[in-house]
Every structure is written in C-alpha cells, then in structure tokens.
C-alpha cells in the first residue's frame, strides 16, 4: 500500500472551493484543474508523476424540435423527467429509425443515446398495439437500468420485462405472451429464443425494432458470433413476415457505420455529431515512478497502478470529490477500496472510511442498486469498480474518475472518463499507467489519447470456426435455403456449407440444407470450442463455476491462484481428461502466471507486401502450445518469488497471423550480430504485441507471437503475431492493415522508456514462456528503424488491401480439428505464444520462450476471457 502524499487544500487555495467544514467532514469538491493542483501540492518537480495535462473544453448543447410523429403523451412523460427538448443527435437517429433505416448512434458517454431509440420504438408501440421491441444489452447492470428507464416512459400496455438467465422459469412464459418490450441479451437470443422460435412466433412476427445497446462491446470472436446471431434473428423474423429496424447505440468508435453493418449484416447509417452538453474537464496522464524493486533479470519495476489509484482515491475523497476508480479485476476493486480506507484511517479520517466502497460483479442485485443509489446521492464519495459501472448505467454528479490502467480500448477509456461531470462543473480524470508497453506509450504520447480517433471495432464473421457452427444453428432452426447464404457471407458460406455436408453435419435436400446432428447444435458464443472446465471446492464438493476450456491450462493448472466472486482459491489438482479442477480457499500474498512454449508453422499465405529488404505477410498458421511451468509473483509489485514445472499436454491452434521477414540486408542495416539478433527480434515482438490493442479492439491476451533468427518456413529472421483464437478474430489482419502506425508506436514505446535494458513498460512480457530471455532493447529499436525505413517509401495500402474482414478458404479450417502443417512439415521454434520465443541463430536451434512449445508465448486461445468479469456479463 502506497500513500502518494497527505493532501490538504493549499493555504491560499481558490475561493471556489469554499471553506473546510467545521465538523471535520469532507471539503467541498474543487473544480478539476484545482483538484489536480491540490493532489500535487506537496510533490517535488523531480517526483511529479504527471506526464501531460489536457484540457477538454466545454461543449454547448444543440437541441432540435420534437419530430412531428412523437405523440403528446410521450413528450409529456419526458418533460416530467426533465427532457424538455431533444438533442440534435437524438432527433437525427430517431428520424432515420422511424423512416425504416437501420441506424447506429455513436456519441459520448451520458449523451442520451437511449432516447434515440426510445422515441421511434415507443411511438411504434403506441401506434400499433400488437408491435413489440427486442432490446439487447451486453451486461446485466445495463439491462436492468434500461428496463427501469423504459418502464417509466412506456404506456402501461407495453409491460416491459427482462428475459435472461435471472428470469424465474414461471415468469418466462408470461414475458413471452404479454411483454411488448423484452429486455434480453445475445446469449438468451442464441440459446433460448431462436431455437424455440415456434413458441416465440407470435412475438417474432410483431418485432418492429431491435435495439442493440453498447454494440462496441461485441468484438473479436464473441462479436463475430453475435453478428451471426443477429443474422439468424433477421432470418427468423423474415420467415414470420417481420422486417425489424435495427437501432444500435455505441461509444465513439472508428467507422461506426461499417462496424454496425458488419455486426447486423445489412447497411447501417451512422449518427456521430454529439449535440449533448459536456462540462469542461482536466485530463491528466500519470505514470508511477520506477522503484528500487526488480523483476525478471533485474529489470526495474514501477510502483503499481493499483497502489497509486488507491492513494488518489483516498486523496480525492478527502477533498470531498465524488470519485470512481476503474480497475481491471474484481480482486483489484476490493484491494483498491481497502487500501484507500486504510490510508484514510492512517490520516485520522475515520469519518470518511465508510464513504469508500467497492463495486463489481458477483454482488447481489440489491447490493449493487444500493451502491449505485449511495454514489448518486453522495452518501458514498469513493468507489473502486470494475467495468461494471462503465456501460450505460446512469451515475451522475461525479467530480473525478481515476483509471487504474488502460481499460483495453480508447472507446472504453472515454466511456469511463465520461462518467465524471457534475452538471456544468469541471471534472478531473486521471489515467494511471500500469507497468505495460501500451500504458507507457499512452502516458508519453498524449496525441494517441487526445489527437486520434478511437479504434475500429474488429470482428470477422467469416471466421470458419464461427461461421460453421452458426450455419449449423441456423439449419437446426429452419432449413437453410441457397438464397439465404448471402446474409451469412455468400461464397464463403457456400463453401462452408459444402464442408458441413461432407462432414455429415448438414444434409442436402431439394428444399435446402437440414441439420443432421442429434439434438440442437451446442455452440458457446463466448468460448471458442473446448469443453468448459468445472471448478470444484475439494472440502465440500461444491461447484464454484467453470472456466473456458481453451483458457484452462493457463488459469486453473495445479498450483494456480483462481479468483471467484472476490474469493481466492488455490488449485490442488487439474484433471485434463475429466475437465475438472479441485481447489481450496486461500488468500496468499502472491498471484500466478503460466509459462508456456510455442511452436509455429506457416500453413498458407493470403497477402504479401514486399518492402525492400523486409516483407510483410498475412495468412494461416498452426500454433502448438504447451503450458510447461508457472511463476508465483508477489501481489502489487510483480516480484517473482518462485517457478514450478507443469506436465500438461500440448494443444494445437489453427489461426491467422501477420508476420515480418528480414533478409540479410535488413539484418546488416540493423547492426545486430548473430548473438544479438534473437534478443532484438524477441524484444520487438513483445513490444508490438503490447501495442497492437491500441489499433484493434483486443487485449494483449488475445494475441500471441513468436520471433526467430531463422524460421524454417521463411528461411529468414521472422517476427510473427497471431490471433489467440481458432480461425482468427481479425486482430492480426488489422495489424497488417495499419502496419506503419502500429510499428511507429511500438518503436516510440521502446525508445522512450527510461529503463536501461528493458522492463515491463517496454519489452518484457508478463506471458513470456522463456522468462523474457533473451531481450535486447537497443537492438529492437534498430530492427524497428529498418522496418519503418522500408515502410516509409512503400505505397499506402488500397482500401481493398487494408480490409480487415476477408474471405478465408474454409478447407484450411473446417469445423473439425485443424490439420497438420501444410507447407514445410517443420516448425519454427520461437515465439510468444498468445508472447514469443526467440530462436537462436541457425535452423533447428531455439531458446525456449513462452506460452507455447516454441517461444515466449503471449496468450493462448480463449485467454482473453481471463480478463472478463463473468458476473458483469449476461449469461
């Protein structure tokens, strides 16, 4: 636990703050700029952790007249809730939807996107007493919040109701028969509604609107599955005579029209001009300093982002500022809140301890509602929270937001930052960088936060590991006709259907393709294929939960620390064959990180860019991954305490990758000799994996990589970054499309880090299977300089060349297990599996490196699910 400083108001503080209360309570909150000055009041210039301060200007509201088709009763109910005139973007989106056009409204946090779909949808329900609306939300909290909002506005005949995993069985029949505004989620749509469409026929033939809220949350493999679920919904509705209009709400994302169109499978118009008012804000980038503590190979460690966030939370509460501190996990939410309370106690402010709480998934609904109420009313001043409070929930009146680490996307970063802002009072946002390449880059390159559009939402509906199972689901619901395949990908879907027929999963008949399997297809839209692993408490036999099979080797191996609903357990035994992990409760002062080895071979090349002495490729690869050990690391510092071997079977992944090859001229120009080349490539690979999430909506745990001085399949020095999901998720191809921006940011991150020879902020990876050895930071900069020099003289990609979603060759994938390597029969030993191992110079020799049998592996398939907070999602 680290106290940043004991913050008090400056002796001659600004008069706007008001005097400190006589009763010793919290001071009146200062405006954002003055709040930041107060936080730094006792800090020496040399110790100042703030790397940049940005001022977000005030934005005045722009309203528009009510559309003529909005009935007086609805306007009156809105007026009672304080909505006297709609904002311009609300009217623009509502008009498009009312005219029958699919539309996505992509504007800032708290901009009132809900009204954009409520106006046309509630109007349709008032005009047609049989019409109904399906509303889809990615989280339980958002679904319940929107249910309450609609209930307050709708006519009593609408009877809005939830239909999700929490809906009691006896209520589900009532919802199906009587509700005209059904709040559900993609999981229930996929498992509960579409397979039983005959029971839902009276509802589905009356669907006027489908609302897809916070649609930017649907990305990667999960987003690709959701895209097909929505296509299946459109297909079923069409069979019953309905053509619903889709209205999507999104955070600000790059090219929202294209992203929404890819999700829905039909053209979608975008409304992006935000007409809502925004108070001014002070946005500070904050990087904790390096400490005297060291990690692997003596690399310096920074003070943890969680410790600084706890200190800031305590400081802001002491200033009377209503504050949210966003953290990356449930355990961190509990820890940051407790550290903040301990700091307040140590300062003699026991009166404020009860005003600090945590908020995360796993709490009972009534507990969460009470916390939300207490924060809104001011009974709570400080809350450490997971992303459970990021999406949509109406929490108003906040003075400050602390972001403990980059939340994964700029869209999420702005969503979280947008929670601050009390009326027109200036707020404070502080981004606290973790010891991570991407966080370090953002802390030192403010233009990447404030001067560029947010990421593109990457999905790949053509992924055969998604497309094949989804076509099976569609055929099980209704026989697939040839004219319907265009919605599922056209030629790609046709090829996939032919393969499914050959495998005996579909049966061709004159009237279409029929599902030939037993029962219904069992497709997990949040997983990637392997059976889930059950987590059993050994002493009681109680089932605690499950983890995705693809992530199980890295998360519930013997000796792993497993966290469930805020409680920590240690795995006693992991039975791979029975898909079961036995655990006991324990709260150690350490966490665990899996080590694996990666072996990668190239199966096929899709696209190639020749850049002089450097060549860039995308294509299909086979990755063999084996978890071989795990480390215990001290909580808070990351210090390695011990490493233990594991004996787990290897697993194969066929996926998509982007890779660079450097011929002898490029290596010579980089001025790295045979001894330095493996470490230089390895360091560049680690850093590039850490930075790619800046440009594609993914987490570094979604990615893997290898690096080798001589790859058997390329015959050259090679760096590979691959998607850690079967069939690919579009992330690697996004890297190919934005190669120059990606590698420029990577080079800047490595070069600007103040460490001498590499640390977790630049080239060390938390997932490296060979213990971050070898790494050559200086050599990585020279290698990247050569690649960027070649890129600078290369022509830009055309729009077609840069397209992220491509048409794969289904025969390379299929719906069954991947085939063996199709090119050389030999594998590169190196890499960073979903981190990279660096092979030593010379064919056939290698330095073990990371998650995967051949190199520092950075992640394994499905590993991104480790970052999700399961109870914040809807099942």
């Amino acid at each position: 636990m680290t106290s940043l400083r004991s913050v008090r108001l400056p002796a001659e503080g600004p008069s706007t703050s008001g005097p400190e209360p006589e009763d010793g309570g919290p001071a009146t909150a200062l405006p954002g700029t003055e709040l930041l000055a107060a936080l730094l009041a006792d800090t020496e210039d040399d110790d100042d952790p703030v790397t940049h301060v940005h001022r977000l200007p005030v934005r005045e509201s722009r309203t528009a007249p009510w559309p003529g088709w909005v009935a007086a009763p609805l306007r009156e109910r809105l007026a009672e809730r304080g909505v006297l005139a709609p904002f311009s973007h609300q009217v623009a989106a509502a008009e498009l939807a009312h005219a029958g056009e699919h539309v996505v409204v992509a504007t800032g946090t708290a901009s009132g996107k809900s009204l954009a779909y409520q106006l046309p949808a509630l109007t349709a329900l008032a005009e047609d007493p049989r019409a109904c609306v399906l509303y889809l939300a990615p989280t339980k909290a958002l679904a319940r919040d929107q249910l309450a909002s609609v209930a307050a506005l709708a006519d009593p005949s609408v009877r809005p109701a939830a239909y999700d995993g929490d809906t009691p069985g006896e209520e589900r029949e009532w919802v199906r028969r009587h509700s005209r505004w059904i709040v559900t989620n993609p999981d229930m749509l996929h498992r509960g509604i579409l397979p039983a469409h005959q029971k839902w026929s009276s509802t589905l033939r009356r669907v006027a609107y489908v609302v897809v809220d916070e649609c930017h949350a649907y990305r990667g493999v999960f987003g690709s599955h959701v895209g097909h679920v929505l296509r299946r919904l459109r297909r079923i509705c069409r069979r019953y005579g309905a053509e619903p209009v889709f209205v999507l709400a999104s955070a600000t994302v790059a090219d929202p029209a294209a992203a929404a169109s890819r999700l829905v499978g039909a053209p979608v118009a975008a409304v992006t001009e935000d007409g809502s008012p925004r108070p001014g804000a002070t946005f500070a980038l904050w990087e904790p300093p390096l400490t005297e503590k060291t990690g692997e190979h003596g690399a310096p460690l920074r003070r943890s982002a969680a410790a600084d966030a706890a200190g800031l939370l305590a400081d802001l509460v002491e200033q009377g500022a209503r504050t949210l501190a966003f953290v990356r996990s449930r355990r961190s939410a509990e820890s940051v809140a407790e550290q903040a309370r301990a700091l307040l106690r140590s300062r003699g402010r026991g009166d404020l301890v009860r005003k600090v709480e945590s908020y995360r998934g796993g709490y009972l609904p009534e507990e969460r509602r009470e916390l939300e109420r207490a924060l809104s009313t001011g009974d709570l001043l400080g809350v450490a929270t997971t992303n459970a409070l990021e999406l949509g929930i109406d929490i108003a009146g906040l003075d400050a937001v602390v972001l403990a680490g980059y939340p994964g996307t700029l869209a999420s970063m702005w969503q979280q930052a947008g929670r601050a802002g009390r009326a027109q009072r200036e707020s404070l946002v502080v981004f606290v960088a973790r010891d991570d390449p991407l966080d370090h880059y953002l802390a030192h390159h403010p233009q990447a936060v404030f001067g560029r559009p947010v990421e593109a939402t990457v999905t790949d509906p053509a992924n055969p590991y998604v497309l094949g199972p989804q076509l099976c689901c569609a055929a099980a619901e209704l026989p697939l006709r040839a004219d319907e395949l265009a919605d599922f990908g056209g030629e790609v879907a046709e090829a996939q259907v032919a393969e499914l027929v050959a495998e005996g999963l579909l049966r061709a008949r004159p009237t279409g393709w029929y599902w030939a399997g037993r029962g219904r297809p069992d497709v997990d839209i949040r997983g990637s294929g392997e059976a889930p692993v059950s987590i059993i408490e050994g002493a009681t036999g109680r089932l605690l939960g499950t983890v995705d099979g693809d992530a199980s080797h890295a998360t519930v191996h013997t000796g792993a620390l497993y966290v469930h609903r805020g409680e920590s357990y240690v795995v006693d035994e992991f039975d791979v064959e029975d898909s079961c992990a036995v655990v006991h409760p324990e709260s150690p002062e350490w966490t665990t990180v899996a080590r694996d080895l990666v072996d990668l071979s190239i199966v096929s090349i899709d696209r190639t860019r020749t850049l002089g002495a450097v060549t860039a490729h995308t294509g299909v690869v086979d990755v063999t991954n084996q978890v071989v050990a795990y480390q215990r690391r001290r909580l808070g510092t990351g210090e390695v305490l011990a490493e233990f071997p594991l004996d787990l079977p290897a697993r194969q992944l066929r996926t998509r990758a982007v890779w660079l090859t450097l011929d002898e001229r490029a290596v010579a120009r980089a001025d790295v000799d045979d001894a330095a080349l493996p470490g230089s490539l390895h360091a560049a690979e680690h850093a590039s994996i850490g930075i790619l999430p800046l440009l594609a909506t993914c987490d570094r745990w979604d990615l893997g990589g290898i690096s080798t001085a001589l790859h058997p399949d390329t015959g050259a020095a090679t760096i590979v970054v691959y998607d850690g999901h079967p069939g690919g998720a579009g992330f690697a191809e996004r890297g190919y499309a934005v190669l120059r921006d990606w590698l420029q940011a990577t080079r800047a991150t490595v070069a600007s880090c103040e460490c001498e020879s590499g640390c977790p902020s630049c080239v060390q990876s938390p997932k490296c299977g060979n213990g971050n050895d070898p790494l050559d930071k200086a050599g990585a900069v020279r290698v990247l300089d050569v690649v960027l020099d070649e890129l600078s003289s290369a022509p830009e990609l055309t729009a077609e060349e840069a397209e992220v979603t491509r048409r794969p060759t289904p025969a390379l994938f299929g719906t069954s297990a991947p085939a063996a390597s199709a090119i050389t029969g030999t594998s590169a030993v190196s890499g960073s599996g979903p981190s990279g191992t660096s092979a030593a110079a010379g064919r056939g020799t290698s330095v073990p490196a990371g998650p995967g049998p051949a190199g520092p592996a950075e992640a394994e398939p499905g590993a991104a699910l480790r970052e999700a907070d399961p109870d914040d999602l809807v099942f």
Side-chain angles (χ1 to χ4, degrees):
M1 179 168 53
T2 303
S3 176
L4 301 178
R5 64 196 62 82
S6 179
V7 177
R8 292 289 184 271
L9 288 174
E12 297 181 4
S15 59
T16 54
S17 66
E20 290 197 31
E22 295 180 1
D23 62 0
T28 303
L30 298 163
T33 301
E34 292 150 354
L35 259 181
L36 181 62
L39 295 176
L40 299 171
D42 299 331
T43 304
E44 299 294 334
D45 290 344
D46 291 344
D47 297 328
D48 189 352
V50 175
T51 60
H52 181 80
V53 177
H54 185 84
R55 181 81 168 82
L56 296 173
V58 174
R59 182 179 62 221
E60 302 296 336
S61 66
R62 287 179 286 117
T63 60
W66 290 104
W69 43 264
V70 178
L74 178 55
R75 292 202 304 270
E76 291 168 3
R77 286 193 289 270
L78 286 165
E80 291 171 359
R81 294 172 60 104
V83 182
L84 302 179
F87 299 130
S88 56
H89 65 276
Q90 294 171 329
V91 173
E95 290 280 20
L96 287 168
H98 185 260
E101 189 170 350
H102 304 312
V103 61
V104 56
V105 54
T107 52
T109 308
S111 60
K113 293 185 284 288
S114 299
L115 192 62
Y117 57 76
Q118 288 171 348
L119 286 178
L122 290 174
T123 297
L125 297 186
E127 292 175 346
D128 181 357
R130 291 183 53 78
C132 66
V133 172
L134 278 180
Y135 169 94
L136 308 178
T139 68
K140 293 177 181 177
L142 175 59
R144 300 296 172 171
D145 188 73
Q146 286 298 303
L147 183 61
S149 174
V150 170
L153 290 175
D155 180 89
S157 67
V158 173
R159 296 184 289 273
Y163 189 88
D164 59 27
D166 292 339
T167 306
E170 61 272 16
E171 291 183 17
R172 296 189 179 192
E173 178 70 16
W174 185 94
V175 173
R176 186 167 63 243
R177 289 181 176 276
H178 301 292
S179 178
R180 298 174 59 217
W181 188 295
I182 298 173
V183 174
T184 187
N185 55 75
D187 305 83
M188 286 298 288
L189 188 60
H190 163 64
R191 290 192 178 275
I193 296 177
L194 295 179
H197 62 85
Q198 294 92 343
K199 291 183 179 179
W200 285 85
S201 58
S202 64
T203 297
L204 294 172
R205 65 168 46 97
R206 297 182 289 112
V207 177
Y209 288 95
V210 176
V211 178
V212 186
D213 209 350
E214 304 291 1
C215 65
H216 62 280
Y218 304 123
R219 56 184 186 262
V221 171
F222 176 47
S224 301
H225 273 295
V226 171
H228 284 296
V229 172
L230 296 181
R231 286 163 173 78
R232 286 161 49 202
L233 172 63
R234 290 176 54 224
R235 171 177 178 256
I236 294 291
C237 287
R238 194 178 299 124
R239 288 288 185 98
Y240 287 114
E243 285 286 352
V245 174
F246 282 74
V247 185
L248 302 95
S250 171
T252 305
V253 296
D255 202 355
S261 298
R262 198 159 51 240
L263 191 64
V264 172
V268 178
V271 173
T272 58
E273 291 295 323
D274 197 333
S276 64
R278 181 184 65 192
T282 297
F283 200 130
L285 305 182
W286 177 298
E287 185 171 48
L290 291 171
T291 68
E292 296 180 355
K293 296 177 181 178
T294 58
E296 289 183 319
H297 310 295
L301 297 174
R302 295 189 183 278
R303 193 167 61 206
S304 76
D308 274 21
L312 285 168
L313 184 59
D315 295 343
L316 288 162
V317 166
E318 205 170 357
Q319 291 292 334
R322 223 176 287 177
T323 305
L324 281 183
F326 282 100
V327 298
R328 294 293 302 272
S329 70
R330 297 186 203 166
R331 183 166 185 162
S332 290
E334 303 278 5
S335 174
V336 167
E338 182 51 42
Q339 289 183 67
R341 287 191 289 260
L343 285 171
L344 291 169
R345 288 190 199 98
S346 71
R347 299 173 188 173
R349 298 308 307 267
D351 57 306
L352 296 179
V353 169
R354 65 177 181 80
K355 290 184 174 289
V356 176
E357 265 292 354
S358 58
Y359 183 104
R360 57 169 177 79
Y363 289 168
L364 295 174
E366 53 269 26
E367 293 176 318
R368 295 171 73 146
R369 297 294 85 79
E370 173 57 24
L371 287 170
E372 293 162 18
R373 184 206 63 77
L375 183 59
S376 293
T377 60
D379 292 343
L380 280 179
L381 282 177
V383 174
T385 179
T386 62
N387 61 1
L389 283 179
E390 175 185 327
L391 298 178
I393 301 174
D394 185 14
I395 299 292
L398 298 178
D399 300 294
V401 163
V402 177
L403 311 177
Y406 185 59
T409 67
L410 281 176
S412 289
M413 190 177 199
W414 286 112
Q415 281 283 106
Q416 294 178 3
R419 288 291 165 210
R422 185 189 297 188
Q424 291 303 300
R425 187 178 179 85
E426 181 186 293
S427 59
L428 173 66
V429 180
V430 182
F431 164 67
V432 183
R434 291 182 301 166
D435 212 356
D436 176 87
L438 182 48
D439 285 41
H440 174 78
Y441 178 81
L442 294 173
H444 291 272
H445 295 82
Q447 69 276 13
V449 178
F450 307 109
R452 61 180 289 271
V454 296
E455 311 86 348
T457 298
V458 178
T459 58
D460 183 10
N463 178 344
Y465 287 100
V466 173
L467 178 58
Q470 288 291 336
L471 288 170
C472 290
C473 289
E477 290 156 5
L478 287 170
L480 271 171
R481 299 195 309 251
D483 61 345
E484 294 174 325
L485 295 183
D487 284 342
F488 292 93
E491 294 178 5
V492 178
E494 292 171 8
Q496 192 72 63
V497 164
E499 188 162 330
L500 293 169
V501 170
E503 292 178 6
L505 296 174
L506 295 185
R507 183 178 296 114
R509 292 289 183 267
T511 53
W513 292 277
Y514 289 72
W515 167 241
R518 295 181 178 179
R520 292 193 176 99
D522 184 15
V523 178
D524 179 6
I525 66 174
R526 293 185 185 268
S528 49
E530 287 199 22
V533 172
S534 299
I535 312 300
I536 306 294
E537 187 174 27
T540 64
R542 180 169 60 109
L543 176 65
L544 297 176
T546 62
V547 297
D548 183 75
D550 291 326
S552 61
H553 285 215
T555 56
V556 291
H557 56 75
T558 300
L561 182 70
Y562 172 74
V563 180
H564 176 75
R565 291 183 176 261
E567 301 295 328
S568 59
Y569 300 82
V570 173
V571 179
D572 297 316
E573 181 184 2
F574 175 36
D575 189 322
V576 176
E577 292 185 1
D578 290 340
S579 298
C580 174
V582 180
V583 304
H584 72 269
E586 186 177 344
S587 299
E589 293 301 313
W590 42 261
T591 187
T592 54
V593 176
R595 294 296 198 189
D596 56 6
L597 296 177
V598 172
D599 183 57
L600 182 145
S601 58
I602 297 169
V603 177
S604 67
I605 298 173
D606 296 330
R607 288 180 284 179
T608 297
R609 291 180 71 188
T610 301
L611 309 168
V614 177
T615 308
H617 308 270
T618 60
V620 177
V621 298
D622 272 341
V623 182
T624 305
N625 177 286
Q626 184 177 22
V627 175
V628 295
Y630 72 96
Q631 289 181 341
R632 286 182 180 174
R633 296 186 180 183
R634 192 181 304 280
L635 286 174
T637 68
E639 177 186 359
V640 177
L641 301 176
E643 183 164 318
F644 304 89
L646 291 169
D647 182 19
L648 289 169
R651 296 184 296 176
Q652 190 179 52
L653 166 73
R654 180 159 288 187
T655 187
R656 294 196 179 277
V658 53
W659 64 95
L660 295 171
T661 56
L662 291 78
D663 67 17
E664 294 179 353
R665 295 171 297 160
V667 173
R669 285 168 52 194
D671 192 23
V672 288
D673 58 23
D674 288 349
L677 183 56
S680 302
L681 297 171
H682 190 190
E685 174 230 325
H686 277 186
S688 63
I689 287 173
I691 291 297
L692 184 54
L694 181 67
L695 300 160
T697 47
C698 65
D699 189 278
R700 71 181 299 160
W701 296 96
D702 288 306
L703 304 168
I706 65 110
S707 54
T708 176
L710 183 61
H711 193 290
D713 292 350
T714 65
T718 305
I719 298 173
V720 185
V721 175
Y722 60 85
D723 291 352
H725 299 272
F731 306 136
E733 292 192 299
R734 175 69 177 166
Y736 179 88
V738 294
L739 189 61
R740 182 177 301 170
D741 290 343
W742 175 24
L743 296 184
Q744 282 176 340
T746 301
R747 195 265 183 204
T749 299
V750 179
S752 66
C753 185
E754 65 266 41
C755 72
E756 292 185 7
S757 57
C759 71
S761 290
C762 55
V763 298
Q764 285 196 349
S765 167
K767 302 170 287 177
C768 181
N770 69 335
N772 286 296
D773 183 40
L775 289 176
D776 189 325
K777 175 182 175 181
V781 173
R782 294 196 296 273
V783 166
L784 290 167
D785 280 339
V786 170
V787 177
L788 288 168
D789 184 53
E790 297 288 19
L791 273 168
S792 66
S793 57
E796 295 287 343
L797 290 177
T798 65
E800 182 178 346
E801 290 171 329
E803 184 182 2
V804 174
T805 301
R806 64 176 307 280
R807 293 181 174 183
T809 305
L812 291 175
F813 293 92
T815 53
S816 56
S821 174
I823 284 207
T824 66
T826 59
S827 298
V829 180
S830 70
S832 301
S835 128
T837 81
S838 296
R843 181 185 299 271
T845 60
S846 70
V847 178
E858 298 258 358
E860 53 180 43
L865 297 177
R866 284 176 279 177
E867 297 297 314
D869 207 343
D871 283 322
D872 291 338
L873 303 174
V874 183
F875 293 92

